[in-house]
Amino acid sequence: MRIGKVAERAGVSVRALRYYEEQGLVIADRSPSGHRQYPESAVERVKFIQLLYAAGLTSKAILQILPFLDTLVATSQMTRRLTDERARIRVKIDALTRAHDRLEELIRLAAEYENSPATCSASADVAASHSPPRH
Amino acid sequence: MRIGKVAERAGVSVRALRYYEEQGLVIADRSPSGHRQYPESAVERVKFIQLLYAAGLTSKAILQILPFLDTLVATSQMTRRLTDERARIRVKIDALTRAHDRLEELIRLAAEYENSPATCSASADVAASHSPPRH
DNA sequence: CTAGATCCTCACGTCAACGTGAGGATCAAG
DNA sequence: CTTGATCCTCACGTTGACGTGAGGATCTAG
């Protein structure tokens, strides 16, 4: 399969695929004329790479994890990278959840104001975060 | 309070605070000599800004949300930004959760291999994502 | 009064994952 | 055989949230 088709089926740009190759994440054969030739499996591989990118992993981190998919042999370095990244993602999910809850709180406040602009000035400090009660 | 103390208490760099001011996120008074003077409330404000940055919001987005904390008056633009970002964060949490589950799966596989290298070659395709069963 | 800590304003550097032409070769269909 | 789509390799541009000096003023403790 050529690069355009892989890009389309994996939902990434052609440029991205060339970049992945540059980073050593996807290896492609070459036709006699120099065009890249991908196996079917490349599509799933690229989707997996995208999944990890979306989770905030760097090319370097992905590069340390990917060989496991091919060989299913985990070096200690790979295992550590796997657990490290899992932990990083957990932390990130927590942070995002806090931000989400916080925005929800503000949205509620905004809706309240919408309904009765005059009567909710008393709850003004609700917006001022999780600090302990003043006085 | 001067910039160094705010930075320390909010857990950010001095440079970051200057950058926030440049972006209009935090306004600081100036002493006669030109040094920035922050009110106590600046610490919480900066922490809130950090929360939103950590959730992937840009300065521009934060700038559209922040006035709400001061005035508690929500323009339609602010309400929309709030709900938009909440949605964005939800999507991101979902993506992170998928990546997390996927890594967990791989970690399990690696642990299995650790325990019995010879007997788990049959489950090799478990690592190959959610594609339908082959054959 | 002096020295070390802290502050100021430029202003260029960084890093990652691509985007975006430039200039040219190759492929597939009619 | 030609033409439009697709591919190739450089190689510079982009974006955001700061980092990092340079060069100099100000503050504060002894």
Side-chain angles (χ1 to χ4, degrees):
Chain A
M1 199 173 6
R2 293 195 320 192
I3 196 171
K5 199 73 182 174
V6 177
E8 180 191 344
R9 287 180 50 189
V12 302
S13 71
V14 167
R15 176 67 173 101
L17 290 180
R18 297 207 184 100
Y19 176 72
Y20 296 165
E21 179 170 325
E22 194 179 316
Q23 302 300 309
L25 301 178
V26 178
I27 35 166
D29 284 348
R30 296 303 181 111
S31 76
S33 60
H35 289 189
R36 290 173 178 79
Q37 280 296 331
Y38 296 88
E40 278 291 321
S41 59
V43 175
E44 281 304 322
R45 190 181 182 89
V46 170
K47 283 184 182 174
F48 180 62
I49 292 174
Q50 279 292 109
L51 184 77
L52 296 184
Y53 269 133
L57 277 79
T58 71
S59 309
K60 190 184 157 197
I62 298 177
L63 190 56
Q64 285 178 23
I65 287 177
L66 267 181
F68 180 60
L69 281 190
D70 302 327
T71 66
L72 283 182
V73 175
T75 67
S76 67
Q77 197 190 29
M78 284 165 55
T79 304
R80 210 176 132 191
R81 181 58 89 168
L82 284 169
T83 54
D84 280 2
E85 295 299 342
R86 181 184 54 174
R88 255 190 13 73
I89 291 176
R90 267 184 192 157
V91 169
K92 213 163 177 179
I93 289 179
D94 287 353
L96 283 170
T97 303
R98 276 195 298 276
H100 181 272
D101 293 351
R102 202 66 203 296
L103 285 185
E104 200 131 278
E105 198 179 334
L106 294 184
I107 290 169
R108 225 188 44 222
L109 274 179
E112 277 178 24
Y113 173 82
E114 187 92 5
N115 294 335
S116 53
T119 64
C120 45
S121 57
S123 63
D125 58 341
V126 179
S129 98
H130 307 192
S131 50
R134 306 76 187 292
H135 314 303
Chain B
M1 198 171 7
R2 293 194 322 190
I3 195 170
K5 198 73 182 175
V6 177
E8 180 190 343
R9 287 180 49 188
V12 303
S13 71
V14 166
R15 176 68 173 99
L17 290 180
R18 297 207 184 101
Y19 176 73
Y20 296 165
E21 180 170 324
E22 194 180 317
Q23 302 299 308
L25 301 179
V26 178
I27 35 167
D29 285 347
R30 294 304 180 109
S31 76
S33 60
H35 288 190
R36 290 174 178 80
Q37 280 297 332
Y38 295 89
E40 278 291 321
S41 60
V43 175
E44 280 304 323
R45 189 180 181 89
V46 169
K47 282 184 182 173
F48 180 62
I49 292 174
Q50 278 293 108
L51 185 76
L52 296 184
Y53 269 133
L57 277 78
T58 71
S59 309
K60 189 183 157 197
I62 298 177
L63 190 57
Q64 284 178 23
I65 287 177
L66 266 182
F68 181 59
L69 281 190
D70 303 327
T71 65
L72 283 182
V73 176
T75 67
S76 67
Q77 197 190 30
M78 285 165 54
T79 304
R80 209 177 131 191
R81 180 61 89 168
L82 283 170
T83 53
D84 280 2
E85 295 299 343
R86 182 184 54 174
R88 256 192 9 75
I89 291 176
R90 266 185 192 157
V91 169
K92 213 164 178 179
I93 289 179
D94 287 353
L96 283 170
T97 302
R98 276 195 298 276
H100 180 271
D101 292 351
R102 202 65 204 295
L103 285 185
E104 200 130 279
E105 198 180 334
L106 294 184
I107 289 170
R108 226 188 43 222
L109 275 180
E112 277 178 24
Y113 173 81
E114 187 91 4
N115 293 335
S116 54
T119 64
C120 46
S121 57
S123 62
D125 57 341
V126 179
S129 97
H130 307 194
S131 50
R134 305 77 187 291
H135 314 301

